[in-house]
Amino acid sequence: MDEALLDVKDIHVFYGNIEAVKGLSFHVNRSEIVCLIGANGAGKTTTLRTVSGLLRPREGAIFYEEQRIDLLPAHEVVTLGVAQSPEGRRIFPRMSVRENLDMGAFIRRDAAGQREDMDRIMELFPILKERARQAAGTLSGGEQQMLAMGRALMARPRLLLLDEPSMGLAPLVVQTIFDTIRDINEQGMTVLLVEQNAAQALSLAHRGYVIETGKIVLEDEASALLENEQVRKAYLGEE
């Protein structure tokens, strides 16, 4: 039996009096790519923000490596090995590419390890090496997405949370981003992916969950969800 790295148990998350996530339960096993798909406003980003400690569930619990983390502040969740590349990239536009990457390692004290990871990320995203001294705000959307992912990887996480990495990007750049996600997963990284591009996400992931209005309505192997008639009509644009 696979060992769950992340186990989310019946979480309810509110914005004021509005319940955005209504009793979500799911798990992510070690070395898996698991995707959450659903329409805008379904609760996907809220779920990721809750896992990373930016939001706190009113009910339910979240366990990472069997340790409860939903009561911890976000910076402590990062120290345990969970890092997020947020929706909309959220890079620091006036800082250089290298400075943005350094910010991803703010919790670390191992200078040699940081240099090693910096070199690995520059190898993973060669364009970032070319633009290392450039202000991050002058990068293209695709380059900023690579930077946001690289910054998250600088925390040396064991679980990488990716929120809409393909949003607003050209198809060729999207393919590059997804190829990179596959590469880092093959190197052992566990990935929880939120993505509106359901076809791309399910082609990449091992398993998937479909969220509608804050609830999981379907879960299965990603290949099975790709063939599911309900998914094909609702999320793959088929009649």
Side-chain angles (χ1 to χ4, degrees), residues 145-158:
Q145 183 59 57
M146 293 173 196
L147 179 57
M149 287 173 60
R151 181 180 60 188
L153 289 170
M154 281 298 293
R156 197 176 273 188
R158 292 184 295 284

Side-chain angles (χ1 to χ4, degrees), residues 8 10-24 43 46-47 49-51 54-60 62 214:
V8 176
D10 193 30
I11 60 169
H12 296 252
V13 186
F14 289 75
Y15 292 103
N17 292 323
I18 298 170
E19 188 174 13
V21 169
K22 306 169 182 176
L24 236 59
T46 298
T47 300
R49 288 169 61 83
T50 307
V51 171
L54 295 169
L55 296 172
R56 188 159 290 183
R58 196 173 291 182
E59 296 177 41
I62 301 172

Side-chain angles (χ1 to χ4, degrees), residues 116-127:
E116 184 182 302
D117 286 350
M118 181 74 75
D119 290 344
R120 185 170 68 97
I121 287 159
M122 297 294 192
E123 192 177 310
L124 205 56
F125 301 113
I127 193 68

